[in-house]
């Protein structure tokens, strides 16, 4: 056998145990992160891994006088690798998006303690002004209002609506809350407090996606529902724990998997945030983890971190022309607070008994290429007797008003017809009686 091959085999024989030791220490570090919930920005876990590695190196080197330092090499390598998880690469104090050039940002302190960013689009034509104020609840949860949504709100204002929107606590330009205060019930209380602070009587309200969940739960609370004139629930998520457990079918194929993932910087390529967000998503770290603070996590998270979620909001036929929903400087999403609110929805008991007593006139909007589980949507229709019409929106995905073709105008026509008590532009489909057939046809 050639000498070079022998030397290579000996080198591999020494290298493989060292690599195995490094991998073992990384596993110890990650396990310690989970056990300590990332205490001290991960330093506690790092010290634990280095300590375990040092003890093991001392034990291995106790009989190797000539090479006592060699067993410490894997410890040094593992310490250097894992240290990157403990060092912030973005500011740890919250950085808020800059002011928007086309609408003033107001900040309202609500009686609940939340301080939220508020946007007002007055009716462009006072002569056609509708008497009831219009309030928008955006999706997320705990995500800033996108520029795409702002353009849709401007369209409604041009049609004579007095439009108000606010970013939920922790999102966009709104102030953060202590992590333990985020919950779906807090979101409902904030909605009631916002309407009271507005001081214009009952309001028409549009809730989209997770905003639709907040609205659905508000309709089930008579004290909150008394503040609402008419409600439009668009593409809602699960309204309670039993609904969240449903694993059903979705709409027609979306663009997920048909286009490359979003380009641009992403936090999940940085070891610190890849570990933090990954373990939180798996439920191995709490949203209030000591590894990454809420403000730092918000600063780090980018639109590209959403991956294929954006594509899933569009029909497959639109895969080649998915619009840019937001600007990097305006984008804001709180992964930890969002997970916290989603967990409170999953922990919530059935809402159906309360929702069946709802009396606020409501409309449900369902997209043809919806990425939502169909039963999340039909559960609202089945349990809310005040849902007067359902509008199945052809040719659009989860983000119904998306700026493509005439989709914004079609969505506005459906919404305004209901708010004004005019005939629906589309058939009332599915009706309650059609729910079984609707679900069967969308398998």
């Amino acid at each position: 056998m050639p000498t070079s091959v022998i030397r290579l085999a000996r080198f591999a024989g020494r290298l493989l145990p060292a690599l195995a030791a490094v991998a073992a220490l990384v596993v110890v570090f990650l396990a310690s992160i989970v056990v300590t919930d990332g205490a001290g920005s991960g330093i506690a876990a790092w010290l634990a891994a280095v300590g375990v590695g040092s003890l093991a190196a001392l034990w291995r080197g106790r009989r190797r006088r000539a090479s006592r330092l060699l067993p410490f090499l894997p410890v040094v390598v593992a310490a250097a690798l894992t240290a990157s998880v403990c060092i912030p690469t973005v500011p740890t104090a919250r950085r808020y998006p800059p002011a928007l050039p086309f609408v003033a940002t107001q900040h309202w302190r609500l009686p609940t303690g939340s301080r939220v960013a508020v946007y007002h689009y007055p009716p462009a034509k006072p002569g056609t002004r509708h008497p009831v104020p219009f309030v928008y609840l955006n999706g997320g949860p705990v995500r800033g209002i996108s520029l795409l949504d702002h353009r849709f709100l401007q369209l409604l204002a041009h049609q004579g609506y007095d439009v108000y929107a606010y970013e939920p606590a922790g999102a966009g330009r709104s102030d953060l809350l202590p992590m333990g205060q985020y919950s779906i019930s807090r979101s409902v209380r904030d909605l009631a407090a916002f309407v009271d602070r507005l001081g214009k009587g009952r309001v028409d309200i549009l809730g989209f996606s997770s905003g639709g969940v907040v609205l659905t739960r508000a309709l089930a609370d008579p004290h909150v529902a008394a503040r609402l004139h008419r409600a439009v629930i668009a593409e809602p998520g699960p309204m309670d724990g039993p609904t969240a457990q449903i694993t059903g079918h979705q709409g027609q194929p979306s663009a997920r998997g048909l286009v490359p993932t979003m380009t641009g910087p992403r936090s999940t390529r940085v070891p610190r945030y890849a570990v933090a967000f990954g373990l939180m998503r798996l439920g191995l770290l709490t949203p209030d983890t000591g590894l990454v603070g809420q403000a730092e996590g918000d600063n780090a998270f980018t639109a590209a971190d959403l991956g294929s979620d954006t594509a899933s909001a569009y029909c497959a036929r639109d895969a080649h022309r998915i619009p840019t929903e937001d600007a990097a400087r305006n984008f804001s999403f709180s992964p930890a607070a969002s997970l916290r609110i989603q967990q409170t929805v999953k922990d919530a008991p059935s809402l159906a008994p309360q929702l069946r007593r709802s009396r606020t006139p409501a409309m449900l909007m369902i997209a043809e290429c919806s990425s939502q589980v169909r039963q999340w949507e039909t559960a609202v229709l089945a349990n809310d007797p005040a849902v007067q019409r359902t509008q199945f929106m052809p040719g659009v995905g989860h983000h119904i008003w998306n700026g493509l073709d005439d989709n914004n105008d079609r969505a506005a026509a459906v919404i305004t017809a209901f708010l004004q008590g005019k005939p629906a532009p589309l058939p009332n489909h599915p009706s309650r009686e059609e729910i079984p057939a609707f679900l069967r046809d969308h398998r």
Side-chain angles (χ1 to χ4, degrees):
M1 182 178 294
T3 304
S4 59
V5 175
I6 296 175
R7 290 176 178 174
L8 182 61
R10 289 175 177 173
F11 175 74
R14 297 190 189 100
L15 181 62
L16 290 178
L19 292 176
V22 171
L25 289 177
V26 170
V27 171
V28 170
F29 171 74
L30 294 175
S32 299
I33 286 283
V34 173
V35 170
T36 63
D37 198 26
S41 195
I43 296 298
W46 186 82
L47 291 173
V50 170
V52 169
S54 298
L55 290 174
L58 288 171
W59 184 83
R60 287 197 304 271
R62 70 190 188 283
R63 294 182 180 179
R64 301 179 183 178
R65 298 182 181 276
S67 57
R68 284 182 174 177
L69 295 180
L70 188 60
F72 284 90
L73 181 59
V75 180
V76 174
V77 174
L81 290 174
T82 55
S84 62
V85 178
C86 306
I87 302 172
T89 60
V90 299
T92 56
R94 182 71 174 104
R95 291 185 306 185
Y96 293 93
L100 294 169
F102 51 82
V103 63
T105 305
Q106 306 174 50
H107 284 92
W108 291 4
R109 174 71 68 179
L110 304 178
T112 57
S114 300
R115 184 173 181 268
V116 297
V118 180
Y119 308 96
H120 179 212
Y121 292 103
K125 299 177 181 179
T128 60
R129 178 172 184 156
H130 298 282
V132 181
F134 179 95
V135 174
Y136 176 59
L137 299 177
N138 67 303
V142 199
R143 179 173 176 176
I145 299 175
S146 70
L147 297 181
L148 197 63
D149 282 0
H150 275 290
R151 287 194 285 272
F152 184 65
L153 299 180
Q154 290 172 327
L155 172 62
L156 294 175
H158 279 295
Q159 297 185 4
Y161 286 89
D162 193 18
V163 178
Y164 292 85
Y166 68 93
E167 289 171 316
R173 297 162 185 83
S174 296
D175 287 2
L176 307 181
L177 294 176
M179 188 59 66
Q181 293 187 21
Y182 291 104
S183 69
I184 190 63
S185 59
R186 172 62 173 264
S187 300
V188 174
R189 293 197 301 273
D190 280 351
L191 169 60
F194 177 83
V195 176
D196 289 345
R197 173 70 169 75
L198 186 59
K200 295 190 175 185
R202 293 194 300 163
V203 301
D204 290 331
I205 186 162
L206 166 63
F208 166 65
S209 193
S210 61
V213 178
V214 175
L215 178 53
T216 300
R217 298 190 67 87
L219 294 173
D221 185 333
H223 299 291
V224 182
R227 298 166 170 85
L228 310 181
H229 179 250
R230 285 178 175 255
V232 178
I233 306 167
E235 283 286 288
M239 63 183 184
D240 54 25
T243 309
Q245 294 176 9
I246 296 175
T247 55
H249 39 269
Q250 301 175 350
Q252 294 300 309
S254 74
R256 182 190 292 269
L258 300 179
V259 294
T261 55
M262 296 178 65
T263 59
R266 58 180 61 196
S267 65
T268 48
R269 290 176 178 165
V270 179
R272 176 173 176 82
Y273 307 112
V275 170
F277 296 150
L279 292 179
M280 274 193 284
R281 190 71 179 261
L282 293 172
L284 298 177
L285 286 181
T286 67
D288 202 17
T289 176
L291 180 58
V292 172
Q294 179 188 175
E296 182 189 349
D298 293 2
N299 293 339
F301 202 90
T302 68
D305 286 319
L306 294 174
S308 59
D309 283 356
T310 299
S312 70
Y314 294 84
C315 290
R317 66 178 71 96
D318 294 325
H320 67 288
R321 56 172 191 157
I322 293 177
T324 300
E325 294 190 342
D326 210 354
R329 298 186 70 197
N330 186 65
F331 176 82
S332 169
F333 181 76
S334 177
S338 292
L339 287 172
R340 162 76 183 170
I341 290 179
Q342 290 176 45
Q343 188 60 52
T344 64
V345 173
K346 294 175 182 177
D347 294 339
S350 174
L351 189 69
Q354 293 87 358
L355 190 59
R356 291 183 188 125
R357 296 194 291 269
S358 175
R359 295 296 179 266
T360 304
M363 179 178 73
L364 178 65
M365 297 177 70
I366 301 177
E368 179 185 11
C369 309
S370 176
S371 56
Q372 305 289 73
V373 174
R374 288 302 194 194
Q375 288 92 330
W376 295 351
E377 302 164 330
T378 57
V380 177
L381 176 60
N383 291 289
D384 185 350
V387 173
Q388 297 180 346
R389 65 177 71 167
T390 303
Q391 299 285 268
F392 181 77
M393 305 294 295
V396 293
H398 179 58
H399 209 148
I400 296 175
W401 42 89
N402 52 37
L404 298 176
D405 302 328
D406 63 344
N407 292 340
N408 283 16
D409 291 329
R410 290 196 297 128
V414 164
I415 292 168
T416 58
F418 172 71
L419 297 183
Q420 297 174 33
K422 295 180 178 179
L426 299 172
N428 181 32
H429 173 72
S431 64
R432 289 181 184 83
E433 295 74 20
E434 294 172 334
I435 289 177
F438 178 75
L439 294 177
R440 184 178 62 250
D441 293 343
H442 289 82
R443 290 187 184 278

